């Protein structure tokens, strides 16, 4: 009788002790989890810091060997013979980007207007997923298509066109960013309240007039931001230009010539027999830094436009 | 005079209506360009690649002759890459999203992390390659290995997963959390047993889409040194490796036309895998949508 009471007592004590341990454990977990999550969140910040650090450190080494003025002011890029005039790579990048925007701006905006203002819900349900598929096609596939289809077609239209040219690459880069411009612009237009449209329509405006005089002005900040993001994507696009635009640094605005962009030089420099620590190795980072500054400025500009010029209803 | 006015006004209105119809047609046409392009692209790839696509292509290593070349090293390399990237990127991404949505105080540092994630999503993929080259390949002396490629890829798709997970977590109504807390659950218990399970469909969809982006990504892998020709399947984290898009790239840039057919066959395999991944993502999205 007595021993059984003691036993019960000890087992109760054990349970209490175990509960306490459990509670302590839970309390520790409660405290540790946010710390763990914070560390994970910090990794994304570290990635940015890492990108800045990498590009800066290696670029500084590069600029110890090649002067700032030579890099940014001369126009001949031929690293294997010691010429580092990045302007010809920048010219190539801007040329491709310009062609791409000439293709993507009208197509993207027209698609956005059609989807947001004209298309019925059922048509939209078909077209939007197809645009998403277009956005999901890997860029190496676009590059393959540019080289093996678009270039031959262009060659039959423009006699004497070289196999590698800025035009073919630019057109395909443009098609690649159409889905992005279309879907972001459509979001902006869809966000315009219907009361504005109804007001214009009730005043006797046609749908087209309503769209261009009411909806587009109201959604302008979102539309411009989407185009700026598109420019940023075109500048950073690598595989299409590496495959279809050639590898000839060329300070030109002639879209029929073979060129080299910032990105495709990085590919060339990384795949060639570039040894670690050579000037060419560091030049990859200086070019990467230039590229990063361009795209970063574009992204900030796009965010600034959205924040500054957003219409409130 | 009055009749004249009416006539000219009718004419004016007619012109505006015709213009409206015309532009509607033009907008439709422009929308169609993207679709036509996609159809042409798929037709072209099938036309060129189907002839070279057979079991042999899927089960052999690269070869000096187009007829014997195969994608096996690329397929296995991509699979191993994804097996590494998926857990690393999803755990980091979901944790970051949980921190930002559930724990982070509303202060400047939190806002900084948020803006930072958005900006990372806009950094060109090749710049991530440079980051990987400096840190993983040289600084951590991992060399041109599978793990260096996987870590680079993980950082690349991290922002996409964070944003998708944040949206999924944000869409969980607060009354679910309040009910759980009201029943005596702690904060982490609420997150682990209520919020996460409810947010899983959104997180999964976003993660699969991010992974499908990673599987088609070429540029950063080139920079961190994925091999173009390789005759083995990776057997450790420190093996040399290649991936499907890398092999497709190396075949595409060869001057002989036959290699383009081989590249076409590779693209078919890549697109089929991508389509399957997207289909799964859409299926999950549709199956679990609108539960609240």
């Amino acid at each position: 009788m007595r021993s059984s009471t003691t036993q019960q007592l000890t087992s109760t004590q054990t349970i209490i002790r175990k509960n306490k341990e459990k509670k302590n454990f839970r309390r520790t977990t409660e405290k540790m989890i946010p710390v763990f999550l914070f560390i994970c969140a910090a990794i994304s910040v570290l990635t940015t810091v890492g990108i800045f650090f990498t590009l800066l450190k290696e670029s500084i080494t590069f600029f110890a060997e090649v002067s700032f003025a030579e890099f940014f002011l001369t126009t001949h890029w031929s690293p294997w013979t010691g010429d580092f005039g990045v302007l010809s790579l920048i010219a190539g990048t801007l040329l491709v980007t310009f062609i791409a925007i000439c293709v993507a701006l009208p197509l993207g905006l027209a698609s956005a207007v059609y989807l947001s203002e004209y298309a019925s819900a059922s048509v939209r349900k078909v077209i939007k997923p197809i645009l998403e598929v277009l956005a999901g096609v890997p860029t190496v596939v676009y590059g393959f298509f540019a080289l093996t289809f678009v270039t031959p077609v262009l060659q039959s239209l423009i006699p004497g066109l070289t196999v590698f040219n800025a035009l073919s690459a630019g057109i395909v880069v443009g098609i690649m960013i159409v889905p992005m411009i279309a879907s972001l612009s459509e979001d902006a237009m869809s966000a315009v309240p219907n009361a504005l449209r109804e007001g214009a329509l009730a005043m006797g405006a046609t749908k087209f007039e309503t769209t261009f005089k009411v909806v587009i002005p109201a959604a302008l900040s979102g539309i411009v931001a989407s185009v700026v993001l598109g420019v940023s994507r075109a500048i950073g696009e690598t595989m299409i230009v590496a495959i279809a635009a050639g590898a000839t640094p060329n300070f030109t605005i002639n879209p029929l010539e073979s060129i080299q962009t910032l990105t495709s030089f990085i590919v060339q420099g990384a795949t060639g027999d570039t040894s670690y620590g050579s000037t060419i190795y560091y030049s990859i980072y200086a070019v990467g830094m230039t590229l990063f500054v361009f795209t970063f400025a574009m992204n900030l500009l796009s965010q600034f436009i959205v924040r500054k010029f957003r219409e409130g209803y | 005079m009055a009749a004249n006015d009416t006539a000219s006004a009718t004419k004016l209105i007619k012109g505006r209506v015709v213009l409206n119809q015309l532009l509607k047609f033009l907008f439709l046409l422009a929308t169609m360009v993207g679709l036509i392009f996609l159809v042409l692209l798929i037709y072209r790839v099938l036309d060129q690649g189907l002839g070279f696509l057979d079991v042999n292509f899927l089960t052999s290593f690269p070869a000096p002759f187009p007829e014997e070349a195969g994608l096996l090293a690329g397929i296995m390399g991509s699979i191993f890459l994804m097996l590494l990237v998926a857990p690393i990127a999803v755990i980091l991404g979901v944790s970051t999203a949980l921190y930002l949505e559930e724990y982070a105080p509303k202060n400047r540092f939190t806002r900084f992390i948020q803006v930072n994630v958005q900006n990372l999503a806009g950094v060109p993929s090749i710049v991530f390659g440079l980051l990987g080259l400096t840190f993983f390949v040289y600084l951590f002396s991992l060399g041109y290995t599978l793990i260096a490629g996987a870590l680079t890829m993980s950082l690349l798709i991290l922002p996409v997963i964070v944003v998708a997970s944040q949206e999924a977590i944000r869409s969980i109504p607060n009354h679910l959390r309040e009910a759980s807390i009201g029943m005596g659950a702690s904060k982490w218990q609420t997150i682990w047993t209520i919020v996460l399970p409810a947010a899983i469909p959104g997180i999964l969809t976003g993660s699969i889409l991010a992974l499908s982006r990673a599987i088609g990504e070429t540029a950063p892998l080139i920079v961190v040194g994925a091999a173009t020709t390789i005759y083995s399947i990776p057997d450790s984290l420190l093996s040399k490796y290649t991936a499907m898009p890398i092999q497709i790239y190396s075949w595409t840039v060869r001057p002989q036309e036959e290699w383009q057919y081989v590249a076409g066959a590779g693209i078919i395999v890549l697109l089929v895998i991508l389509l399957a991944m997207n289909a799964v993502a859409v299926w999950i999205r549709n199956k679990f949508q609108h539960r609240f």
Side-chain angles (χ1 to χ4, degrees):
Chain A
M1 184 68 193
R2 253 182 98 184
S3 81
S4 120
T5 318
T6 331
Q7 235 173 21
Q8 260 181 1
L9 216 69
T10 41
S11 74
T12 316
Q13 277 170 338
T14 331
I15 290 171
I16 291 175
R17 207 187 61 233
K18 275 192 176 152
N19 270 350
K20 227 173 200 167
E21 275 172 15
K22 222 172 169 180
K23 215 172 174 183
N24 274 340
F25 175 72
R26 196 186 289 163
R27 206 173 282 156
T28 332
T29 325
E30 261 338 291
K31 272 191 192 137
M32 291 315 292
I33 290 283
V35 177
F36 169 76
L37 296 181
F38 177 77
I39 292 172
C40 289
I43 286 182
S44 74
V45 177
L46 284 182
T47 308
T48 312
V49 174
I51 289 176
F52 273 108
F53 171 79
T54 308
L55 294 176
L56 268 180
K57 180 173 157 278
E58 313 285 41
S59 298
I60 287 170
T61 318
F62 173 78
F63 285 119
E65 292 170 35
V66 177
S67 77
F68 224 68
E70 186 193 341
F71 188 69
F72 284 112
L73 295 177
T74 63
T75 58
H76 192 237
W77 181 268
S78 168
W80 280 270
T81 58
D83 288 320
F84 295 96
V86 81
L87 279 181
S88 57
L89 296 186
I90 292 178
T93 298
L94 293 183
L95 180 60
V96 168
T97 305
F98 177 73
I99 299 168
I101 288 302
C102 286
V103 172
L105 188 65
L107 289 182
L109 277 190
S111 305
V113 168
Y114 183 76
L115 286 174
S116 138
E117 305 300 318
Y118 288 93
S120 62
S122 55
V123 172
R124 206 171 328 169
K125 236 180 170 169
V126 177
I127 293 180
K128 280 203 88 167
I130 297 179
L131 281 179
E132 273 174 37
V133 171
L134 202 59
V137 173
T139 53
V140 68
V141 178
Y142 277 115
F144 170 86
F145 187 69
L147 183 66
T148 65
F149 182 77
V150 177
T151 301
V153 168
L154 288 175
Q155 275 176 324
S156 67
L157 295 174
I158 309 167
L161 185 67
T162 50
V163 174
F164 299 111
N165 60 78
L167 185 61
S168 167
I171 291 174
V172 177
V173 172
I175 296 284
M176 182 199 81
I177 55 177
V178 162
M180 196 178 109
I181 292 184
S183 99
L184 289 178
S185 298
E186 197 226 321
D187 288 347
M189 287 185 212
S190 301
V192 175
N194 255 335
L196 290 186
R197 288 188 189 86
E198 283 153 7
L201 290 171
M203 297 291 283
T206 62
K207 202 149 199 173
F208 165 68
E209 287 158 350
T210 309
T211 305
F212 271 74
K213 290 177 184 164
V214 176
V215 179
I216 289 186
L220 199 61
S221 70
I223 294 172
V224 174
S226 81
V227 175
V228 174
L229 271 188
V231 171
S232 166
R233 274 287 292 278
I235 292 175
E237 173 43 42
T238 309
M239 294 322 291
I240 299 174
V241 283
I243 291 172
T248 328
N250 198 343
F251 189 69
T252 179
I253 53 163
N254 182 356
L256 304 181
E257 286 180 31
S258 171
I259 49 121
Q260 187 165 44
T261 63
L262 295 166
T263 49
S264 62
F265 169 72
I266 298 177
V267 168
Q268 192 194 12
T271 45
D273 44 3
T274 312
S275 50
Y276 178 69
S278 63
T279 313
I280 297 178
Y281 172 81
Y282 291 120
S283 77
I284 298 176
Y285 288 89
V287 170
M289 183 81 191
T290 316
L291 172 72
F292 181 74
V293 168
F294 267 96
T295 53
F296 193 64
M298 286 295 162
N299 291 343
L300 288 186
L301 178 66
S302 143
Q303 285 165 20
F304 172 77
I305 292 169
V306 169
R307 216 173 330 122
K308 185 92 185 172
F309 300 103
R310 179 182 294 160
E311 300 270 345
Y313 301 106
Chain B
M1 188 72 184
N4 208 356
D5 266 5
T6 324
S8 66
T10 319
K11 212 172 154 190
L12 205 71
I13 292 173
K14 213 170 181 181
R16 286 166 55 202
V17 171
V18 169
L19 185 72
N20 183 38
Q21 286 301 323
L22 195 77
L23 279 156
K24 179 183 175 181
F25 176 71
L26 270 183
F27 292 144
L28 176 64
L29 208 67
T31 312
M32 284 308 173
V33 171
L35 312 189
I36 292 167
F37 199 89
L38 186 65
V39 171
L40 268 178
L41 190 147
I42 291 171
Y43 168 75
R44 182 74 185 167
V45 167
L46 287 178
D47 184 43
Q48 294 211 307
L50 271 185
F52 273 78
L53 186 65
D54 50 22
V55 181
N56 217 8
F57 180 74
L58 298 176
T59 54
S60 41
F61 287 113
F65 307 106
E67 303 79 36
E68 296 166 13
L71 193 64
L72 181 64
I75 297 175
M76 296 314 285
S78 284
I79 290 176
F80 282 122
L81 266 181
M82 288 309 115
L83 286 179
L84 288 170
V85 169
I88 299 173
V90 170
I91 290 175
L92 281 180
V94 174
S95 303
T96 306
L98 279 179
Y99 176 77
L100 287 172
E101 288 301 312
E102 303 285 336
Y103 283 101
K106 294 257 171 295
N107 59 19
R108 287 177 84 174
F109 187 67
T110 306
R111 248 196 63 137
F112 173 69
I113 298 181
Q114 189 71 61
V115 171
N116 174 58
V117 167
Q118 278 168 15
N119 279 328
L120 269 185
V123 173
S125 59
I126 196 156
V127 173
F128 279 92
L130 292 176
L131 173 77
L133 184 65
T134 306
F135 276 88
F136 303 134
V137 175
Y138 289 122
L139 203 65
F140 299 171
S141 15
L142 293 171
Y144 294 150
T145 55
L146 186 63
I147 185 72
L151 289 173
T152 307
M153 270 321 191
S154 304
L155 292 184
L156 175 68
I157 62 168
L158 184 60
V160 187
I161 296 184
V162 172
V163 172
S165 307
Q166 272 189 292
E167 268 167 27
I169 293 168
R170 212 177 296 147
S171 73
I172 310 302
N174 248 336
H175 60 75
L176 287 185
R177 292 186 186 86
E178 282 154 9
S180 169
I181 301 269
M183 295 292 284
S186 66
K187 185 155 189 173
W188 175 244
Q189 282 175 323
T190 304
I191 292 171
W192 185 248
T193 54
I194 306 293
V195 177
L196 263 185
I200 277 285
I203 292 174
L204 265 183
T205 309
S207 302
I208 294 173
L209 290 179
L211 283 176
S212 74
R213 186 183 155 202
I215 216 169
E217 196 60 75
T218 323
L221 284 185
I222 290 182
V223 178
V224 294
T228 46
T229 323
I230 200 166
Y231 301 94
S232 59
I233 291 168
D235 54 6
S236 82
L237 292 180
L238 297 175
S239 298
K240 295 186 93 184
Y241 68 105
T242 187
M244 281 188 281
I246 301 281
Q247 286 207 295
I248 292 168
Y249 170 63
S250 77
W251 287 328
T252 304
V253 293
R254 289 185 194 184
Q256 300 86 352
E257 209 188 337
E258 295 80 44
W259 285 108
Q260 291 180 356
Y261 302 141
V262 184
I267 289 174
I268 295 175
V269 178
L270 180 61
L271 287 183
V272 166
I273 292 176
L274 279 179
L275 216 60
M277 289 173 84
N278 276 284
V280 171
V282 170
W283 180 75
I284 293 176
R285 184 162 66 190
N286 290 343
K287 187 160 166 79
F288 297 99
Q289 223 171 17
H290 303 308
R291 277 175 60 192
F292 306 110

